[in-house]
Amino acid sequence: MTWTVAPEPYDSPVAAALWRAYYTEVSDRWYLLREGRPTDPAELEREIAAQSGADLAPPRGRLLVARYAGEPAGTAGVRLLDGTRAELTRVFLRPGSRGRGGAALLVGAAEDAARDLGATRIVLDTRGDLVEARALYTRLGYAETEPHNDDPYAEHWFSKPLDRPA
């Protein structure tokens, strides 16, 4: 079984299905932890529709889709924030695809995409309850930093310089 990672239009059926899976998981984790219930279905639909991913389209962004054995397994997106910084977002692997090296591969491909966009630094935010994500970013050389945005759900911010390949 092998992994592949390739750009995908943010509005493709594959991207939409992975976005729905990602958002459902992180939203349900939020509400289950804080309120003891899953996300209200109407709220889930509103939020999925409100965040189309258009900011991940070229020329200032990229959405990448990882496939495992040819099947869509996960995503990572990058978008330029300014002339030198890109933001990593929507890093997600379907639960059945986790533990097989796909997350590091996806983040590495997103870093390459950020370099291609002209970024020399990549930043991201995540929540405290997403302990797996925080461990991944630390393992991949990201350092926790001061906030770079005011996202109401962000609790941890990370940054990494993007060295140019030799």
Side-chain angles (χ1 to χ4, degrees):
M1 301 287 187
T2 60
W3 286 100
T4 60
V5 177
E8 180 86 19
Y10 75 90
D11 56 353
S12 76
V14 166
L18 288 165
W19 169 232
R20 175 172 291 283
Y22 166 84
Y23 195 82
T24 300
E25 181 175 330
V26 297
S27 184
D28 280 353
R29 280 178 76 160
W30 174 269
Y31 282 107
L32 286 168
L33 180 65
R34 287 160 178 82
E35 298 182 15
R37 64 171 179 86
T39 310
D40 175 83
E43 179 184 356
L44 185 68
E45 292 307 315
R46 278 192 311 274
E47 291 301 315
I48 288 171
Q51 299 195 31
S52 71
D55 56 342
L56 302 177
R60 296 189 53 83
R62 299 286 183 282
L63 179 68
L64 303 169
V65 167
R67 287 178 168 77
Y68 186 72
E71 293 298 315
T75 63
V78 293
R79 59 179 159 236
L80 280 178
L81 297 178
D82 55 39
T84 61
R85 288 181 314 147
E87 184 176 35
L88 178 63
T89 186
R90 293 193 188 191
V91 177
F92 171 73
L93 282 178
R94 290 185 185 274
S97 299
R98 295 175 186 162
R100 299 178 181 167
L105 184 70
L106 256 175
V107 172
E111 290 171 358
D112 289 342
R115 281 185 199 93
D116 290 346
L117 293 170
T120 58
R121 176 165 293 283
I122 192 163
V123 298
L124 64 92
D125 65 65
T126 191
R127 295 190 330 231
D129 62 306
L130 300 177
V131 294
E132 307 92 337
R134 292 186 2 247
L136 171 71
Y137 300 133
T138 299
R139 182 169 48 87
L140 296 178
Y142 287 77
E144 198 151 355
T145 63
E146 293 298 315
H148 65 268
N149 64 24
D150 59 358
D151 183 320
Y153 297 105
E155 298 169 318
H156 297 270
W157 294 262
F158 290 83
S159 178
K160 180 179 178 180
L162 294 174
D163 298 325
R164 296 285 172 206

